[in-house]
């Protein structure tokens, strides 16, 4: 099924807010064989919204919109859709009740503007938004059959209502005759071009209904194998066989069988080994610890972290030798290795990772230019890895790349340890 997505909001066009909803919608629908063929971002004007909706309905049988459903005067999506699909605005008692319940949970008093969100077009079927005040509206036309679903723009609300309410209804409304299957492998320590050359002959031999996609990120490549067929059992056997061949071809670079972030893979390995982890961060400023602790269940494995920006913290908290700091500098392999070892010691963790570098835009020298980052991983039993990297890009890109690299280094170290380290 082909779909179109319309993202509505002036704030998106001037860069105050970044659109994450369209990516979420595409990722969530893809496993069911639904493809987003068109995405457009439009301002909060009746003319722009009307033009985008009409074009989307010509392109796709299903149109999804996000945004423009708030209580303020600039949010005009609801009234515009009412003009497009007909009907009048009326108060929906069930929406009013839902809004009152949401405000009660948040300890807020309902005002007149928010109460107006209970007014919805008579031409729409209303789906309650249990995590917000803006209702979801399902518009449907016949001959030809088209569906437009208007959802709130707040990302966590969009994700909740689409996953739990909208997508199940769409799949029921437009059942597919095809079985769809996909598998993902995570690969590291190889460039996309080198990997493509290695897999070229194998790719050429794939059946036409199987397709391999390369989805690279700094330090990682996601290999996604998709297939569709009228025969599910046959398709699953073909996918299993293709994945087995792909794993063999990627064996030396295979990081994980599945779709996961480096932090998720690290936690998987930690639990498998009965191990714990700690962090000691300078240039990454706690970002590695954030990536780990943002995952539910991370408390089983995460001991703690130290943001050691200053040399005094490196020395006084982590026990880094001041002579090493004076001799080699904070951004050096001897220092970052001692930081990792110190984190293991002060937190009693099985392993620890540490970073120290120059994220920029200033602070670089001819010897240690901006982007220079030293990363170390150490275990409580004495195994270590340490390396100096030179990452391109701005400050945030250097921090992101350093964080990813540190997590991958921790995974490599952990896989070389006995399964129980405590």
């Amino acid at each position: 099924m082909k779909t179109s997505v319309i993202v509505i909001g002036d704030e998106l066009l001037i860069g105050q807010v970044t659109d994450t909803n369209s990516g979420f919608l595409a990722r969530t629908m893809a496993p069911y064989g639904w493809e987003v063929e068109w995405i457009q971002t439009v301002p909060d004007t009746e003319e722009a919204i009307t033009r985008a909706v009409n074009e989307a309905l010509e392109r796709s049988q299903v149109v999804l919109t996000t945004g423009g459903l708030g209580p303020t005067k600039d949010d005009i999506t609801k009234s515009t859709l009412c003009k497009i699909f007909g009907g009048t605005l009326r108060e929906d008692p069930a929406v009013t009740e839902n809004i009152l319940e949401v405000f009660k949970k948040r300890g807020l008093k309902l005002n007149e503007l928010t109460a107006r969100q209970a007014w919805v077009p008579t031409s729409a079927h209303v789906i309650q938004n249990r995590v917000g005040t803006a209702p979801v509206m399902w518009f449907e036309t016949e001959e030809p059959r088209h569906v437009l679903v208007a959802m709130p723009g707040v990302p966590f609300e969009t994700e909740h209502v689409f996953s739990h309410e909208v997508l199940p209804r769409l799949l029921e409304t437009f059942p597919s005759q095809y079985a769809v299957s996909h598998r993902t492998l995570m690969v590291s320590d190889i460039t996309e071009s080198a990997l493509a050359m290695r897999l070229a002959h194998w790719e050429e031999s794939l059946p036409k209904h199987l397709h391999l996609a390369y989805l690279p990120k700094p330090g990682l490549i996601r290999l996604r194998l998709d297939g569709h067929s009228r025969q599910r059992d046959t398709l699953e056997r073909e996918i299993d066989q293709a994945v087995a061949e792909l794993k063999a071809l990627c064996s030396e670079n295979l990081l994980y069988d599945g779709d996961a972030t480096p932090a998720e893979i690290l936690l998987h390995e930690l639990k498998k080994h009965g191990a714990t982890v700690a962090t000691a961060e300078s240039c990454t400023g706690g970002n590695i610890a954030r990536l780990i602790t943002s995952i539910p269940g991370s408390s089983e494995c995460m001991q703690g972290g130290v943001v050691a920006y200053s040399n005094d913290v490196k020395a006084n908290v982590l026990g880094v030798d001041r002579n090493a700091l004076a001799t080699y500098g904070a951004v050096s392999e001897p220092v970052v290795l001692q930081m990792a070892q110190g984190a293991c010691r002060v937190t009693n963790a099985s392993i620890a990772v540490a970073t120290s570098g120059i994220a920029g835009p200033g602070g670089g020298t001819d010897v240690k230019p901006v982007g220079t980052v030293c990363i170390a991983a150490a275990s409580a039993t004495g195994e270590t890895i340490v390396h100096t990297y030179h990452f391109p890009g701005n400050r945030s890109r250097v921090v992101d790349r350093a964080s990813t690299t540190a997590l991958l280094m921790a995974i490599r170290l952990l896989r070389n340890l006995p399964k129980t380290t405590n």
Side-chain angles (χ1 to χ4, degrees), residues 87-416:
T88 59
L89 292 174
R90 64 169 178 84
E91 182 181 5
D92 187 318
V95 178
T96 299
E97 183 180 350
N98 183 68
I99 293 173
L100 289 170
E101 183 65 25
V102 169
F103 264 60
K104 180 180 179 181
K105 290 178 180 178
R106 297 177 182 177
L108 301 174
K109 184 178 180 180
L110 184 65
N111 57 50
E112 183 179 348
L113 273 180
T114 304
R116 287 286 299 177
Q117 290 191 294
W119 288 71
V120 296
T122 55
S123 53
H125 172 74
V126 174
I127 299 173
Q128 296 299 335
N129 175 6
R130 301 301 181 186
V131 294
T133 58
V136 177
M137 294 169 292
W138 177 295
F139 298 88
E140 190 166 338
T141 64
E142 296 180 357
E143 297 182 5
R145 190 180 195 183
H146 287 86
V147 167
L148 183 146
V149 186
M151 296 175 287
V154 180
F156 89 90
E157 293 184 27
T158 303
E159 293 172 12
H160 180 86
V161 297
F162 187 76
S163 299
H164 293 87
E165 301 287 347
V166 176
L167 181 59
R169 294 183 189 220
L170 288 173
L171 295 175
E172 183 179 350
T173 304
F174 300 101
S176 175
Q177 297 179 347
Y178 284 91
V180 178
S181 184
H182 74 276
R183 290 276 296 275
T184 301
L185 300 179
M186 306 297 293
V187 178
S188 65
D189 298 322
I190 189 172
T191 64
E192 183 181 7
S193 58
L195 183 60
M197 290 175 63
R198 184 189 298 178
L199 301 179
H201 179 72
W202 176 82
E203 277 193 84
E204 292 173 359
S205 68
L206 283 175
K208 291 186 180 297
H209 57 278
L210 298 186
H211 171 71
L212 182 69
Y214 295 76
L215 306 170
K217 293 182 66 176
L220 286 171
I221 300 173
R222 292 167 62 211
L223 290 176
R224 180 186 170 100
L225 184 66
D226 296 285
H228 67 276
S229 172
R230 293 181 183 272
Q231 303 295 325
R232 175 170 292 280
D233 290 344
T234 301
L235 176 62
E236 292 299 334
R237 286 195 297 271
E238 289 178 324
I239 289 283
D240 287 343
Q241 177 63 33
V243 168
E245 295 168 354
L246 187 57
K247 288 170 70 174
L249 289 168
C250 297
S251 59
E252 62 189 88
N253 301 104
L254 183 63
L255 181 68
Y256 189 70
D257 183 351
D259 191 357
T261 66
E264 289 171 334
I265 298 170
L266 175 60
L267 285 174
H268 173 80
E269 292 291 329
L270 287 165
K271 291 176 182 178
K272 185 170 71 173
H273 284 76
T276 55
V277 66
T279 60
E281 303 182 59
S282 184
C283 65
T284 50
N287 191 54
I288 301 170
R290 179 190 66 82
L291 292 171
I292 295 172
T293 57
S294 65
I295 301 169
S298 57
S299 58
E300 295 179 36
C301 303
M302 181 64 175
Q303 288 289 86
V306 177
V307 178
Y309 233 58
S310 74
N311 285 351
D312 283 342
V313 174
K314 290 180 177 71
N316 296 337
V317 176
L318 296 173
V320 176
D321 180 42
R322 289 188 181 273
N323 288 331
L325 285 164
T327 303
Y328 304 107
V331 183
S332 65
E333 293 184 8
V335 167
V336 79
L337 183 56
Q338 290 186 41
M339 289 172 62
Q341 292 168 329
C344 268
R345 184 174 58 254
V346 300
T347 65
N348 196 33
S350 307
I351 66 167
V353 290
T355 60
S356 185
I358 305 164
T365 67
D366 291 340
V367 177
K368 298 177 183 179
V370 170
T372 301
V373 182
C374 297
I375 302 175
S379 74
T381 53
E383 294 85 355
T384 62
I385 304 173
V386 61
H387 192 74
T388 300
Y389 299 88
H390 299 281
F391 299 128
N394 59 19
R395 185 178 183 86
S396 63
R397 186 172 176 83
V398 170
V399 169
D400 287 345
R401 186 66 184 270
S403 300
T404 297
T405 303
L407 291 165
L408 295 177
M409 186 180 288
I411 294 167
R412 287 198 297 271
L413 178 73
L414 191 58
R415 285 177 173 173
N416 289 327

Side-chain angles (χ1 to χ4, degrees), residues 4-28:
S4 290
V5 176
I6 303 172
V7 186
I8 302 168
D10 294 333
E11 67 279 5
L12 296 158
L13 290 168
I14 62 177
Q16 287 183 332
V17 175
T18 300
D19 167 38
T20 58
N21 287 331
S22 58
F24 163 77
L25 294 172
R27 289 192 303 273
T28 306

